[in-house]
């Protein structure tokens, strides 16, 4: 729970007060904060440098049992991410100290305070759903102390921030869930349940209807699994809207590679292969809670890619919903197959003004941009520019990648319309994007390859190990700024 207060800071009783400190400038004009910081600075180990911490117990200037000072570094260099991370760190310290509430000094620039709110709510998320004993408890009350003049405005903003962070956490928990607990039918149920109380219409397309819609690519990928594929369509339709946006999310609940079985190392990590669908589902739920001003349609093909006697094979030729045939070069390039059918469906049923797909699509993209940055592919520089800008703001970073025409040769097939993998392994992320491009027709489209940032095997200041929820904050920011 995120709250705002403007009461007298010196009198406020709390177990845990957090004060950010610049190395070279005052963080707050409040005399109480000023004298607390002066006291902190008398300790030679604390200068306010980035990453420094100092804890004082029951200092006489405040009614707090603990005051945690967090070094932010030089004021010039302190971007919102520094504050997000500092707040996340404060949360983990408070959780470790078994606190039920935490009080942040929320003075300073608006962007810095909002970033701290985000870092605090995200940093309060623990990944212990599968532990018998939960050693740690999240903090029940996160309170920000602000100037009286800002109280109302910050209160309003904090509601939105909390909602977006809840969406991110929802996506994280889905991605971190083990693959035996999120096979396509279970994952679909879990999404329907989460979306239940929202202003959303959900269509659940089962195997029979997938066949009726001729989505043979989705069926082919699902044919090796005992759990049948399905497709969820989530429709957020506000009373008044101008644009219709389709969001398509890759929902491979486990990617074994299929007959082209992946090697053992890292196989367990392929539970993350539904992170695109998780991000899109959570974005729809968040969009509805926030009353976003556009119609948003989430299209989620959910499937498990497994080897079996019934699995699709390399060499197979599959007819997609668009009518185009695909020669299978590798059953592990399954994401683009299911996205092809989902994209065709989204365009045919809803004629969106824009379509964005989000997918853990290629190891090549992770290779190119590393584990923290997503690749954005679009012919529309304005659209990719908007996504890159939203990425900069939310720190869900995106980098625009090329889709050169002459690379289309990579996915040429001798006997079908197209092949699902390139003949060489170079430029694998581009080959995948060019494959998808074959199915988007005239629609204004962008593809976000989140194979890098969807999942992390290291915790950071405001995200535990596992799913990162990447895409939710990004897409919500983009939708909020879309005109
Ligand atoms: N799900 C994987 C991509 C992936 C890799 C996601 C690492 C997250 C982290 C995808 O389906 C895949 O297997 N892609 C292949 C494509 C290849 C067969 C052309 C790859 O990247 O190796
Ligand atoms: Zn694969
Ligand atoms: Zn995959």
């Amino acid at each position: 729970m995120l709250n705002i207060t403007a009461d007298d800071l010196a009198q406020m009783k709390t177990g845990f007060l957090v004060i950010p400190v610049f190395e070279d400038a005052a963080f707050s004009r409040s005399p109480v904060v000023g004298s607390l910081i002066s006291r902190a600075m008398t300790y030679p180990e604390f200068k306010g440098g980035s990453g420094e911490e100092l804890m004082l117990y029951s200092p006489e200037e405040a009614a707090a049992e603990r005051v945690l000072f967090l070094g932010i570094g030089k004021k010039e260099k302190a971007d919102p991410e520094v504050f997000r991370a500092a707040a996340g760190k404060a949360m983990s310290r408070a959780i470790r100290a078994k606190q039920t509430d935490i009080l942040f000094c929320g003075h300073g620039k608006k962007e810095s305070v909002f970033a701290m709110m985000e870092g605090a709510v995200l940093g309060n998320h623990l990944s212990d759903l599968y532990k018998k004993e939960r050693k740690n408890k999240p903090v029940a009350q996160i309170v920000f102390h602000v100037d009286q003049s800002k109280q109302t405005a910050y209160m309003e903003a904090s509601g939105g921030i909390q909602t977006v962070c809840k969406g991110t956490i929802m996506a994280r928990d889905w991605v971190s869930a083990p693959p035996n607990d999120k096979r396509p039918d279970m994952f679909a149920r879990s999404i329907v349940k989460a979306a239940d109380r929202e202003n959303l219409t959900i269509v659940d397309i089962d195997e029979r209807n997938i066949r009726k819609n001729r989505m043979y690519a989705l069926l082919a990928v699902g044919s090796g699994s005992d759990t049948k594929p399905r497709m969820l369509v989530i429709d957020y339709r506000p009373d008044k809207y101008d644009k219709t946006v389709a969001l398509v999310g890759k929902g491979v609940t486990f990617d074994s590679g299929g007959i082209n079985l992946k090697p053992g190392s890292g196989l367990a990590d392929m539970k993350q292969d539904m992170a695109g669908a998780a991000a899109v589902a959570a974005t729809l739920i968040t969009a509805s809670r926030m009353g976003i001003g556009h119609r948003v349609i989430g299209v989620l093909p959910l499937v498990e890619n497994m080897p079996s006697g019934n699995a699709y094979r390399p060499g197979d030729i599959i007819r997609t919903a668009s009518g185009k045939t695909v020669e299978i070069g590798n059953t592990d390039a399954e994401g683009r197959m299911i996205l092809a059918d989902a994209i065709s469906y989204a365009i045919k049923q809803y004629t969106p003004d824009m379509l964005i797909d989000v997918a853990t699509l290629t190891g090549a993209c992770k290779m190119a941009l590393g584990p923290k940055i997503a690749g954005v592919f679009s012919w529309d520089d304005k659209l990719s520019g908007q996504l890159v800008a939203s990425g900069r703001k939310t720190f869900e970073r995106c980098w625009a990648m090329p889709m050169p025409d002459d690379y289309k040769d990579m996915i040429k097939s001798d006997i079908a319309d197209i092949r699902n993998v390139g003949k060489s392994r170079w430029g694998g992320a581009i080959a995948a994007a060019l494959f998808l491009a074959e199915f988007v027709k005239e629609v204004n489209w962008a593809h976000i390859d989140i194979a890098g940032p969807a999942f992390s095997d290291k915790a950071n200041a405001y995200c535990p190990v596992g799913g990162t929820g990447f895409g939710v904050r990004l897409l919500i920011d983009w939708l909020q700024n879309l005109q």
Side-chain angles (χ1 to χ4, degrees):
M1 214 20 202
L2 187 55
N3 274 315
I4 310 293
T5 180
D7 294 353
D8 181 5
L9 191 57
Q11 304 295 322
M12 286 186 72
K13 284 209 171 66
T14 176
F16 210 101
L17 171 63
V18 182
I19 299 182
V21 182
F22 287 129
E23 192 180 318
D24 56 348
F27 177 71
S28 159
R29 275 177 307 207
S30 144
V32 190
V33 177
S35 62
L36 278 165
I37 290 179
S38 307
R39 182 186 289 272
M41 292 286 203
T42 62
Y43 293 83
E45 66 268 38
F46 187 78
K47 302 216 158 35
S50 166
E52 285 179 15
E53 288 176 54
L54 180 81
M55 182 82 94
L56 293 183
Y57 295 88
S58 305
E60 63 193 40
E61 292 86 345
E65 279 171 34
R66 298 172 191 73
V67 183
L68 175 65
F69 297 89
L70 289 175
I72 299 291
K74 295 207 163 55
K75 189 175 181 182
E76 271 278 280
K77 280 204 177 157
D79 58 17
E81 179 61 11
V82 175
F83 284 96
R84 225 175 261 125
K89 196 152 122 186
M91 291 311 294
S92 62
R93 302 288 179 267
I95 290 167
R96 206 174 56 191
K98 311 269 180 240
Q99 297 299 295
T100 54
D101 67 84
I102 185 167
L103 177 62
F104 281 90
C105 168
H107 307 172
K109 266 200 328 204
K110 190 166 86 178
E111 301 87 87
S112 315
V113 180
F114 289 176
M116 276 204 282
M117 291 180 184
E118 223 170 65
V121 179
L122 291 173
N124 201 25
H125 171 227
L126 302 171
S127 58
D128 57 0
L129 292 173
Y130 283 85
K131 299 268 192 199
K132 181 178 173 205
E133 267 171 66
R134 298 190 187 166
K135 281 199 222 101
N136 293 320
K137 269 207 186 114
V139 174
Q141 289 283 342
I142 302 170
V143 186
F144 274 74
H145 185 272
V146 305
D147 294 341
Q148 195 113 47
S149 61
K150 294 174 178 163
Q151 193 175 7
T152 319
Y154 279 31
M155 201 106 82
E156 272 167 30
S158 70
I161 291 168
Q162 192 166 222
T163 303
V164 183
C165 293
K166 271 192 182 159
T168 299
I169 290 170
M170 189 184 293
R172 283 180 183 177
D173 283 341
W174 272 324
V175 176
S176 299
N180 57 328
D181 266 2
K182 60 178 178 194
R183 298 182 81 187
D185 53 344
M186 298 158 121
F187 185 30
R189 267 199 302 275
S190 175
I191 294 171
V192 170
K193 194 169 157 220
D196 202 27
R197 264 170 296 161
E198 312 300 331
N199 178 27
L200 299 164
T201 315
I202 302 192
V203 185
D204 186 348
I205 306 173
D206 62 8
E207 197 199 10
R208 205 168 55 95
N209 282 303
I210 291 172
R211 195 175 302 280
K212 243 188 179 163
N213 282 287
R214 299 181 189 191
M215 294 193 261
Y216 299 122
L218 178 54
L219 285 175
V221 174
S223 60
S225 168
D226 286 343
T227 309
K228 297 300 159 213
R230 58 207 305 136
M231 201 161 85
L232 283 189
V233 181
I234 312 176
D235 189 351
Y236 166 66
R237 188 178 188 163
D239 294 337
K240 272 207 308 228
Y241 62 89
D242 175 23
K243 290 208 159 57
T244 300
V245 176
L247 300 176
V248 179
K250 172 177 173 182
V252 177
T253 63
F254 184 69
D255 181 11
S256 71
I259 296 297
N260 291 98
L261 194 62
K262 284 180 185 293
S265 64
L267 199 47
D269 283 351
M270 279 305 128
K271 69 173 185 180
Q272 67 172 286
D273 215 18
M274 35 55 77
V280 169
T283 298
L284 264 291
I285 290 167
T286 307
S288 133
R289 289 177 179 166
M290 298 187 69
I292 291 283
H294 302 284
R295 185 176 182 192
V296 190
I297 294 145
V299 180
L300 314 173
L302 309 178
V303 66
E304 192 179 43
N305 186 22
M306 298 291 267
S308 89
N310 207 31
Y312 79 136
R313 294 153 286 258
D316 281 358
I317 294 180
I318 311 291
R319 187 180 301 277
T320 60
S322 70
K324 278 191 186 164
T325 56
V326 182
E327 179 193 358
I328 305 303
N330 190 320
T331 59
D332 197 10
E334 83 298 337
R336 62 200 77 180
M337 298 297 290
I338 70 167
L339 290 174
D341 277 352
I343 288 170
S344 298
Y345 183 88
I347 294 174
K348 190 166 143 224
Q349 298 288 327
Y350 298 96
T351 50
D353 300 296
M354 279 174 197
L355 188 150
I356 298 178
D357 76 77
V358 189
T360 46
L361 203 61
T362 65
C365 198
K366 188 170 183 178
M367 196 67 105
L369 297 174
K372 296 185 184 178
I373 303 176
V376 179
F377 299 79
S378 180
W379 286 301
D380 181 347
D381 293 345
K382 189 169 153 212
L383 178 55
S384 58
Q386 287 167 354
L387 289 166
V388 170
S390 288
R392 203 168 284 143
K393 220 162 109 192
T394 57
F395 212 63
E396 293 195 332
R397 288 166 291 177
C398 297
W399 193 257
M401 303 282 278
M403 280 193 295
D405 255 353
D406 55 334
Y407 278 29
K408 278 190 188 160
D409 284 354
M410 296 202 283
I411 48 171
K412 255 197 185 148
S413 165
D414 296 328
I415 60 168
D417 294 322
I418 186 175
R419 254 171 76 93
N420 78 332
V421 287
K423 290 197 174 113
S424 112
R425 64 193 184 92
W426 306 117
I430 299 175
L434 286 169
F435 180 94
L436 297 179
E438 292 292 317
F439 300 89
V440 289
K441 297 194 230 165
E442 308 297 304
V443 181
N444 205 345
W445 160 73
H447 154 59
I448 310 178
D449 192 332
I450 59 166
F455 191 88
S456 177
D457 43 23
K458 278 204 292 273
N460 77 16
Y462 54 90
C463 185
V465 170
T468 60
F470 188 100
V472 179
R473 290 190 298 119
L474 175 79
L475 289 169
I476 291 291
D477 183 78
W478 176 77
L479 283 165
Q480 278 178 318
N481 290 300
L482 183 65
Q483 284 165 4

